Amino acid sequence: MQKYSIFALARNALSRHRHWRPAWRSPQPKREYDVVIVGGGGHGLATAYYLASVHGLTNVAVLEKGWLGGGNTGRNTTIVRSNYLWDEAAMLYEKSLQLWEGLSKELNYNVMFSQRGVMNLGHTLQEMRDIERRVNANRLNGIDAVVLQPDEIKRRVPIMNTAPDARYPVLGASFQPRGGVARHDAVAWGYARAADARGVDIIQQCEVTSIRRDNGAVTGVDTTRGFIKAAKVGVVAAGHSSVLAAMAGLRLPIESHPLQALVSEPLKPVLDTVVMSNAVHGYISQSDKGELVIGAGIDSYNGYGQRGGLDVVEGAVAAIVELFPVFSRVRQLRQWGGIVDTCPDACPIIGTTPVRGLFFNCGWGTGGFKATPGSGWVFAHTITHGAPHKLNAAFSLDRFVSGALIDEHGAAGVAH
Ligand code: FAD
Ligand code: PYC
């Protein structure tokens, strides 16, 4: 455990941070690794950590074209929950939630996981029927979920407008008490430090520019820092997954879209749970700093710019203000976008590819932050054994040929 006394903190601050011990090394890339992970977001770093900690594979490199967590990991609104409809998805996200519950201790790094509950509002009779069906399915899978009536919602969130004549009347909600939020970049840093401590090389500013193959098997990757040989390559590149797949002659059923979020000026504590509404395309929570964290549905066009259209955030803010009229005078502090990799059934692709030794983990779309620990855990297993774990077997690329899709649009949290 790294310990700093108050005097060490003061000394470091006064010396302009020159004596801070870096949390991970910045090694030169080796010529060859057993496994190369492409993408230094939370999923890539978690994969490297579990390769080392669970499977004893330490001759591993994580290659990141920018900086750690600079993709969607550092741009998301940090909602964590496991209340998915279908057994396959529920089990995968629940594994992840269980890992979240012990993550700060496991990594010896405070990821600020806060189980303040996640509420999904229903505004129509049909939405309430869908909510009841999902809550019943969750409970059959051992996942904590309850249906809340409007009076209970009002008790928990007094500032919400639950008047029956509201434009989007609140008829009820599903609520997962174990859901919540975490500190996104701490998750990347915590996994990075723990993976580095086990010998994993984390290499930033190293873009993969092509994937070399020979006789149907991967042999390594060309990068902006030279060729790196590896018999196993795991790609975890979120919004750029299709670009990486094309380098290996593969076509994924993935679309890349901007997804935006914004925060307000900081306020005193006013909202102690997460509130989401698919019907109005808006969701909100309050960060530990006091900012209201507000998100929208995806921008409808495809693109790789980490920004989006003003109309989308305008619509989300309008919806939030109808639900919370008291926020109408709050000022916006900043807004940003990330590029999400949406899949036709709103579920990820995690597994092998037609190229031997090449593995893909993508398609998490608007909802992969919550899956970071579970995704890394199953992907590390898949890469080690060359075959999926039973928790990710259903999430293969083959399902788009067999038709065994897992339609989670209703539980995806954000419309896409
Ligand atoms: P990333 O963090 O994007 O990592 C991929 C990395 O690959 C990037 O750092 C990128 O630079 C790198 N890369 C790409 N190409 C190359 C290359 N050629 N060579 C080397 N490196 C490369 N999910 C939730 O569960 N809850 C939420 O509340 C939530 N809110 C969201 C809000 C917004 C605004 C956005 C944009 C997303 C949200 N998500 C949410 C989705 C979530 O952020 C993502 O699914 C998740 O973070 C993906 O993690 P990742 O590690 O796969 O991707
Ligand atoms: O998957 O819960 C989610 C989510 C919330 C906001 C964006 N994604």
Side-chain angles (χ1 to χ4, degrees):
M1 179 174 182
Q2 284 184 317
K3 289 207 176 96
Y4 291 102
S5 71
I6 184 117
F7 300 109
L9 282 172
R11 194 172 57 242
N12 283 323
L14 293 173
S15 67
R16 299 196 189 150
H17 302 270
R18 272 197 304 269
H19 304 300
W20 284 105
R21 195 173 340 142
W24 53 84
R25 297 163 297 126
S26 291
Q28 288 302 316
K30 291 195 268 188
R31 279 205 288 215
E32 182 173 0
Y33 291 92
D34 295 336
V35 182
V36 159
I37 301 295
V38 184
H43 289 229
L45 293 163
T47 304
Y49 170 73
Y50 292 116
L51 279 171
S53 65
V54 177
H55 304 283
L57 288 175
T58 55
N59 187 24
V60 174
V62 177
L63 310 182
E64 165 55 48
K65 72 173 178 174
W67 67 95
L68 297 191
N72 292 343
T73 296
R75 291 165 186 270
N76 73 85
T77 46
T78 79
I79 297 172
V80 175
R81 57 189 174 85
S82 64
N83 54 354
Y84 281 73
L85 177 65
W86 298 104
D87 295 354
E88 296 86 346
M91 293 295 106
L92 180 61
Y93 287 99
E94 178 57 23
K95 168 73 186 173
S96 199
L97 184 43
Q98 287 171 11
L99 289 170
W100 275 111
E101 287 173 328
L103 197 59
S104 292
K105 191 160 178 230
E106 163 90 21
L107 300 178
N108 186 25
Y109 202 99
N110 187 0
V111 298
M112 297 169 73
F113 182 44
S114 158
Q115 291 178 292
R116 59 184 68 178
V118 175
M119 203 182 272
N120 286 85
L121 302 178
H123 303 277
T124 65
L125 189 55
Q126 185 55 45
E127 264 198 301
M128 285 314 298
R129 288 192 175 132
D130 291 343
I131 281 175
E132 278 156 21
R133 178 182 174 211
R134 181 142 64 95
V135 165
N136 287 337
N138 289 164
R139 292 168 78 122
L140 286 170
N141 274 323
I143 291 169
D144 58 318
V146 287
V147 175
L148 301 182
Q149 302 302 325
D151 55 343
E152 176 60 10
I153 296 172
K154 189 73 182 169
R155 195 188 66 73
R156 286 172 185 267
V157 190
I159 55 173
M160 191 191 298
N161 177 14
T162 52
D165 62 348
R167 183 164 168 205
Y168 301 103
V170 175
L171 303 189
S174 68
F175 186 65
Q176 183 174 24
R178 285 165 61 241
V181 292
R183 174 69 199 260
H184 44 22
D185 31 27
V187 176
W189 300 336
Y191 273 121
R193 191 181 73 168
D196 171 88
R198 284 165 175 77
V200 170
D201 281 359
I202 295 169
I203 303 164
Q204 302 180 73
Q205 304 292 326
C206 181
E207 179 169 356
V208 170
T209 52
S210 72
I211 297 177
R212 284 202 209 172
R213 293 153 286 150
D214 186 26
N215 207 14
V218 76
T219 56
V221 291
D222 287 299
T223 79
T224 44
R225 294 174 67 174
F227 175 68
I228 301 176
K229 194 172 169 194
K232 289 187 175 184
V233 174
V235 179
V236 209
H240 286 79
S241 299
S242 303
V243 178
L244 269 300
M247 292 179 194
L250 302 173
R251 190 149 178 244
L252 297 176
I254 296 276
E255 284 190 13
S256 294
H257 288 264
L259 178 67
Q260 302 183 69
L262 60 114
V263 290
S264 73
E265 59 187 332
L267 308 176
K268 286 190 176 166
V270 63
L271 181 64
D272 65 358
T273 190
V274 180
V275 178
M276 309 180 66
S277 168
N278 253 355
V280 303
H281 284 195
Y283 60 91
I284 183 164
S285 67
Q286 187 172 21
S287 76
D288 293 340
K289 275 193 287 183
E291 299 163 344
L292 299 174
V293 182
I294 297 175
I298 57 169
D299 282 56
S300 53
Y301 59 87
N302 301 133
Y304 291 99
Q306 288 171 316
R307 65 186 83 88
L310 182 61
D311 57 316
V312 176
V313 276
E314 219 176 2
V317 168
I320 292 298
V321 167
E322 292 212 31
L323 278 173
F324 298 92
V326 69
F327 291 150
S328 64
R329 288 159 58 205
V330 174
R331 279 168 299 190
Q332 177 182 317
L333 200 63
R334 58 181 191 278
Q335 164 275 349
W336 66 91
I339 303 305
V340 296
D341 42 339
T342 65
C343 219
D345 59 356
C347 271
I349 298 167
I350 322 165
T352 57
T353 69
V355 179
R356 275 195 317 284
L358 180 64
F359 304 86
F360 263 78
N361 183 347
C362 59
W364 293 96
T366 59
F369 177 69
K370 68 176 81 62
T372 305
S375 157
W377 195 87
V378 296
F379 200 40
H381 176 105
T382 305
I383 292 171
T384 303
H385 297 282
H389 186 271
K390 68 173 189 274
L391 283 175
N392 65 309
F395 296 92
S396 68
L397 194 49
D398 290 350
R399 75 179 188 273
F400 298 98
V401 178
S402 69
L405 304 182
I406 308 157
D407 188 345
E408 284 291 358
H409 280 98
V414 172
H416 73 242

